[in-house]
Amino acid sequence: MNRYHLTHLKELEAESIFIIREVVAQFENPVLLFSGGKDSIVCHHLARKAFYPANVPFPLMHIDTGHNFEELYKFRDELVKETNARLIIASVQKSIDDGKVKEEKGINSSRNKLQTTTLLDAIEHHQFDCAMGGARRDEEKARAKERFFSHRDDFGQWDPKNQRPELWNLFNGKKSFGEHFRAFPISNWTEMDIWQYILQEKIKIPSLYFSHQRDCFIRNGVVMAKTSFTLTKPEEEITKMQVRFRTIGDATCTGATISNADNLEKIIDEVSSSRITERGGRADDKRSEAAMEDRKKEGYF
Amino acid sequence: MSDQYLNMDLLRFTTAGSVDDGKSTLIGRLLYDSKSIFEDQMEAIEIASSNKGEEKVNLALLTDGLRAEREQGITIDVAYRYFATPKRKFIIADTPGHVQYTRNMVTGASTANLAIILVDARKGIVEQTKRHSFIASLLGIPHIIYCINKMDLVNHEEEVFEKTKKELVDFSSKLTTKDIRFLPISALNGDNVVNRSKNMNWYEGSTLLHTLENIHIASDQNLIDCRFPVQHVIRPQKEEFHDFRGYAGRIAGGVFKKNDEVVLLPSGFQSRIKSIQIFDNELEEAFAPMSVTMTLEDDLDVSRGDMIVRVKNQPEILQDIEMMVCWMGEKPLLSRGKYTIKHTTNEVRCIVKEILYKVDINSLHRDTEDKSINCNDIARIAVRVTKPLFVDKYNINRTTGSLIIIDESTNNTVGSGMII
């Protein structure tokens, strides 16, 4: 590499840091949505780089479905302690208890969709004017048209046909009272970029991403983990499998991959030879062709 | 696993072509032949194609993301696509061919290093070709590749390619773009896209992907004129960093080194660079487009919107600015109208003093009579801003030479400006 030319990871990093700083400069009360998954972990790492030696000038917010893996809660709490982060937890269980949302019924029920209400309520309660998230444009086709700075109306809704043009590195975060923004600093990263960056920067991630033994069953061709809150049909046989997770979401809708990859190098090899996208294992996207677009319009991440 | 990824760089390109030039097919082909389409994505578009009663798998469906687009078979908005080879990561800004064409292409072109312009081998240069070329050149894209497509429909004849190439060479001499290349391809059959064509042995140049992988982009950044717009001031309220005052920002031009003598704009105070850092890593030097934090030897009053530059190489400090503007608002541009401008990390108000002329983007003719500037029009205008901006000409620096115009009643971005 030429001395005055950046590698793709360094250029992506520079772009994302610029966007995170721009959010802090343009908004009064931003927040970083933190799921404990690799993308939000990378966002948090970039935020620490952006403001060092000062602390990250915004809190993390976890929209907790209550249906996450134990490993994830443990990881989240350790990260908060180690990096001196401020953490806000918004609970989907509380939204259910308050009667704001109704739990889905049936074997494929998931709290994934309910998160939207909890998220919008929390944004309003804490008066956040910009919620940053770790969504990437390569994840899903509706995301490919998302802006870095995404304008939301009073109801938190996204109007994909009426987005502001976004040119050069000039971001327009102007809004009227009551409106807010979503900002996506790692829009231009791919799954592979994330893994390479985690390796390059030696970033800690939850053990769920590495190969381990777990009680699992198979539904619609997807390997699902057996937890205390997943319902299984009688014919669904529970067996010990050697698995890891490519994405980490709500345990009720996140599929595992049969894998022996127990370190980052092996994961990168596995991802580069994989013929299936990471969301291929997400039951929530399989509901319909426009599932993601519909959830995003309502105010999903 | 090798460490090859530590040597990869990033190329951003935009694709332009009119509706039937096969642009979506070309992108689909690039993604498919470079093995960047996954089985579940392929499966999804196979089902969607057969649901629509189409016989072949429609690769164009890969790029149609929104429900309305799939239903109407059109593309509404700029979509970003990603693929990588062991040498490079690529970001494609895929812009639609008809609705809001200019606005979308300008958006996609604003961050691109390279433009692919598709030309139908049967038709040669058409109005759209001129329009795409003009926008690519206006937006300062350093490299243009003309892909003469559908060679299969002209029997892969060399004469057809040479004739179209000659027309393009003559036409493009009017453009400011310096690096212009020509490729005969068939996106449908994959000839010269990723794999060499067996049907065009007379062609001795590289394939499209090989060109994209090897084109030299390291000198596209301005590494001569040092510009550091201050984005944010870092003042940690911590015991151990008691006197720390860091200026965070993204270098917009040049190479800054430790101990460089610098001047602060607008105050004009001089100082020296004490440190340049990214996180806890101290650097000897940093260059565009890195995001860094700098500290200075002297304790000065610096805030967002200020610019750190070299003493002997300063930008222009202007309150009266002339620019080419691409209008993107639903309401027309108002002469004497007041707008907000965002330029680097500055925000100012402006008044439109004069509309000098409108450009007919098909003929490149300058119209000084009709000065009604509507959405998708390109014009030369003069504005006066409320406080001086630190600017370079757009063709010298795409960061310090660009700005956006915002409607104060709707907060929408309604124009993009390239400073002359």
Side-chain angles (χ1 to χ4, degrees), chain B residues 292-312:
Chain B
V292 298
T293 302
M294 288 188 197
T295 60
L296 300 178
E297 289 289 353
D298 305 279
D299 203 5
L300 300 169
D301 182 22
V302 183
S303 54
R304 176 174 165 91
D306 292 359
M307 195 182 275
I308 297 174
V309 300
R310 284 267 185 78
V311 179
K312 286 185 180 152

Side-chain angles (χ1 to χ4, degrees), chain B residues 102-302:
Chain B
T102 304
R103 167 182 153 153
N104 284 317
M105 184 171 169
V106 167
T107 303
S110 71
T111 50
N113 310 82
L114 181 147
I116 293 178
I117 299 177
L118 279 153
V119 180
D120 189 326
R122 294 169 302 174
K123 297 179 191 154
I125 296 185
V126 294
E127 257 186 20
Q128 297 244 22
T129 318
K130 295 183 186 171
R131 192 192 304 179
H132 301 152
S133 306
F134 171 63
I135 294 173
S137 155
L138 180 72
L139 269 290
I141 299 181
H143 316 274
I144 294 180
I145 301 178
Y146 286 102
C147 283
I148 292 127
N149 190 24
K150 305 199 181 181
M151 287 301 291
D152 49 313
L153 299 180
V154 295
N155 297 320
H156 305 102
E157 275 174 31
E158 186 177 6
E159 294 74 50
V160 179
F161 172 69
E162 287 301 332
K163 183 172 160 280
T164 314
K165 182 176 162 181
K166 188 174 177 306
E167 282 178 56
L168 287 165
V169 168
D170 289 347
F171 162 74
S172 59
S173 61
K174 287 184 223 156
L175 305 175
T176 50
T177 315
K178 292 200 176 66
D179 181 19
I180 298 180
R181 301 167 192 226
F182 309 89
L183 271 167
I185 65 163
S186 162
L188 187 70
N189 300 326
D191 285 28
N192 290 336
V193 178
V194 173
N195 303 310
R196 285 202 72 84
S197 170
K198 293 193 180 72
N199 300 311
M200 291 178 268
N201 288 326
W202 47 265
Y203 175 69
E204 288 171 348
S206 336
T207 62
L208 178 59
L209 184 65
H210 188 266
T211 309
L212 292 173
E213 275 186 311
N214 291 289
I215 209 159
H216 181 70
I217 53 168
S219 346
D220 292 353
Q221 286 282 346
N222 180 331
L223 293 172
I224 295 161
D225 310 306
C226 292
R227 306 284 183 261
F228 185 70
V230 176
Q231 194 184 1
H232 177 79
V233 180
I234 295 177
R235 302 226 52 185
Q237 307 297 325
K238 290 180 180 174
E239 208 46 53
E240 59 200 293
F241 296 104
H242 192 70
D243 292 322
F244 187 94
R245 202 180 158 87
Y247 307 113
R250 193 171 188 193
I251 298 172
V255 182
F256 285 90
K257 295 188 169 72
K258 228 165 121 171
N259 294 320
D260 272 355
E261 266 192 59
V262 291
V263 60
L264 275 163
L265 299 176
S267 71
F269 288 126
Q270 291 192 17
S271 186
R272 256 173 215 283
I273 297 177
K274 188 175 168 189
S275 74
I276 305 174
Q277 60 192 75
I278 300 181
F279 208 30
D280 51 1
N281 185 17
E282 282 222 19
L283 308 171
E284 286 303 309
E285 60 181 8
F287 52 91
M290 289 166 76
S291 280
V292 298
T293 302
M294 288 188 197
T295 60
L296 300 178
E297 289 289 353
D298 305 279
D299 203 5
L300 300 169
D301 182 22
V302 183

Side-chain angles (χ1 to χ4, degrees), chain A residues 212-217 237-243 258:
Chain A
H212 58 280
Q213 287 230 324
R214 176 178 294 271
D215 283 338
C216 294
F217 62 94
E237 198 188 327
I238 291 155
T239 47
K240 271 224 182 319
M241 297 186 196
Q242 191 71 29
V243 296
I258 307 280

